Amino acid sequence: MNRILLAPISRRAGITSVLLGIYHGLERTGARVGLMKPISPVEDGNEDRTIGIARQMLGLDHPDPISLSEAHRLLDDDGEDGLMERVIGFQQAVADDVDIQLIEGVAPDNAGDYAGPVNAALARNLGAQVIFVAAPAGETPERLARHLGLVARAFEKRHVPVLGCILNKVGAPEVERLQVASAHAVHTSLRNCGDYVDSLPALVEEIPLIGCIPWQTKLIAPRVADVVASLTLDVLEAGHMQHRRVRHILMVARTVPNMLYGLEPGALVIVPGDREDILRACALAERNGSDLAGVLLTGGLQPDEGVHRLCATAFDSGLALLSTPWNTYTTANRVARMDVGLPRNDKARIEHTMEFVASHVDADRLLDNIHVSPEMHLSPAAFRYRLVQQARVAGKTIVLPEGDEPRTLEAACTCHEKGIAKCVLLAKESRVRHLAEARKLTLPADLEIIDPE
């Protein structure tokens, strides 16, 4: 089996979308593909987004990952080897009857300076080749190339083979969120993929460019129902809120003639609840086929019953009518700042994302560069893990003399905690308990202490 670790090297790299897109692209070649995410920023009790999609959309049986806080604790207490032993144990619970296993690395967004070393350790201990995932986010091609070169050399020093890199969100705005519509055209200097790649000749030679994924606003467009759930809005008319998507925000404080520019498909019109003239204009636009996302009334105000009835045809054709007690500015700000990551249950958006990303990744080139090492080398962490597993199966009892020595007592506690063996300490029980209290050790309930005298 070949393993590929996708290592994000920039913040907001969009690693979930890239992972799913590569999964889809490789599957289309006929390869059997699996996913693994060993470490997640989501704490216990909550489902990680990538894993939720893998379970619900792809039908993959993925165990709960190690939380990032637990990973930090393991690093602090036992160093990198302690964390990697836990990762290798986690790996055993992931289905491996596949040709290629894609592994999602740790993102700098969550792990900061930990991300690079942890990803390199993951790749080395899991026997994976690495693909870097970067989102330019305003970086010049020259700066990005230097950054990629430095990261690649750091991985290669740890004997981790680098397959290449994928550029994601090329041409994205500085702030990736729903935009407020403007009556004036905004000129940007966003680069397209072709322009950006043309400026990276050295990068393409040294680190193969496997994919270049352009920015597309549609990829972050939530359903109206997602906005309702995220902001806990009141629904006066549901319309087609489960299917229509918010592509931009139109915050209205003007007269009708001065706001018509924004009545386009996907517009969420945010307006004070007493502006019934705007509501009527939106209803008319809906009847004329504009397919607005919806109208969100602010200030806790609702339209006159007669006006509501007048707009009934628009509601029946799909226009959603929502309400909130917040003022218009606060409402628009909250909508713009809501999480626009992939929801686990948005099948249409997930499928579009997978197809879009896959279409911009060279799966054939990726397959051509995958190789299987002729020899399997066990890392120290992998060797220790196998040794512990064999000891657990053996179920032996170990008698330890000088049980009141600090290192002996610590070893016995570790053996019981990890299920390596059952230990018997030869020492006075009072001295063992005093030592445990002094060193803040919790004595296992099944630890046997025998006084040799």
Side-chain angles (χ1 to χ4, degrees), residues 412-424:
C413 290
T414 299
C415 280
H416 278 255
E417 179 185 345
K418 295 187 175 182
I420 297 172
K422 181 180 179 181
C423 296
V424 177

Side-chain angles (χ1 to χ4, degrees), residues 165-176:
C165 70
I166 292 174
L167 304 184
N168 190 26
K169 303 181 182 178
V170 176
E174 290 187 14
V175 181
E176 299 170 15

Side-chain angles (χ1 to χ4, degrees), residues 85-388:
E85 284 187 44
R86 179 73 177 276
V87 167
I88 291 167
F90 169 85
Q91 177 199 2
Q92 306 303 308
V94 179
D96 60 359
D97 56 339
V98 294
D99 301 312
I100 302 168
Q101 189 176 68
L102 299 175
I103 305 166
E104 182 177 324
V106 177
D109 313 55
N110 306 306
D113 294 338
Y114 279 106
V118 168
N119 285 332
L122 284 172
R124 184 169 60 85
N125 283 276
L126 295 175
Q129 298 169 276
V130 170
I131 295 175
F132 300 126
V133 180
E139 272 195 311
T140 63
E142 293 75 19
R143 285 191 59 186
L144 179 63
R146 285 196 297 272
H147 179 47
L148 271 165
L150 289 171
V151 174
R153 285 191 286 276
F155 274 67
E156 288 165 354
K157 283 181 180 179
R158 301 189 69 165
H159 308 291
V160 175
V162 176
L163 269 179
C165 70
I166 292 174
L167 304 184
N168 190 26
K169 303 181 182 178
V170 176
E174 290 187 14
V175 181
E176 299 170 15
R177 63 188 187 196
L178 296 172
Q179 300 296 311
V180 177
S182 170
H184 306 287
V186 178
H187 298 285
T188 66
S189 58
L190 302 181
R191 294 174 178 263
N192 61 41
C193 273
D195 293 340
Y196 206 90
V197 172
D198 288 344
S199 303
L200 294 171
L203 171 64
V204 175
E205 291 176 8
E206 297 175 15
I207 306 174
L209 189 61
I210 296 170
C212 186
I213 306 160
W215 170 259
Q216 188 186 67
T217 305
K218 185 178 178 180
L219 295 179
I220 67 164
R223 297 165 297 190
V224 177
D226 297 326
V227 178
V228 170
S230 177
L231 304 182
T232 319
L233 304 176
D234 295 323
V235 179
L236 305 181
E237 295 287 348
H240 293 166
M241 72 178 195
Q242 295 294 341
H243 306 289
R244 291 198 183 179
R245 298 186 179 277
V246 180
R247 302 190 188 281
H248 67 269
I249 302 163
L250 181 62
M251 187 171 63
V252 178
R254 303 179 178 188
T255 59
V256 171
N258 292 318
M259 52 79 68
L260 294 178
Y261 64 88
L263 294 182
E264 299 175 349
L268 178 64
V269 182
I270 301 176
V271 59
D274 58 358
R275 288 294 302 273
E276 294 170 340
D277 56 331
I278 302 298
L279 177 58
R280 292 195 301 270
C282 291
L284 184 58
E286 172 67 26
R287 290 200 292 270
N288 286 334
S290 289
D291 287 344
L292 304 176
V295 178
L296 175 50
L297 305 177
T298 64
L301 303 170
Q302 297 187 12
D304 175 79
E305 187 176 339
V307 173
H308 197 127
R309 285 197 303 270
L310 187 65
C311 300
T313 305
F315 303 140
D316 291 341
S317 71
L319 182 67
L321 184 62
L322 314 171
S323 177
T324 178
W326 305 322
N327 64 43
T328 302
Y329 176 79
T330 299
T331 301
N333 193 44
R334 292 194 178 193
V335 174
R337 293 181 179 276
M338 68 174 282
D339 180 10
V340 290
L342 280 175
R344 299 161 184 77
N345 63 349
D346 191 345
K347 183 178 179 180
R349 185 172 160 200
I350 292 170
E351 288 179 345
H352 172 71
T353 298
M354 293 174 70
E355 187 66 36
F356 183 77
V357 173
S359 68
H360 290 87
V361 172
D362 192 344
D364 291 330
R365 182 174 185 179
L366 181 55
L367 287 175
D368 289 342
N369 285 280
I370 294 176
H371 65 270
V372 180
S373 174
E375 295 183 29
M376 290 295 294
H377 295 282
L378 285 179
S379 68
F383 174 78
R384 281 191 297 272
Y385 177 80
R386 290 194 178 187
L387 201 62
V388 168

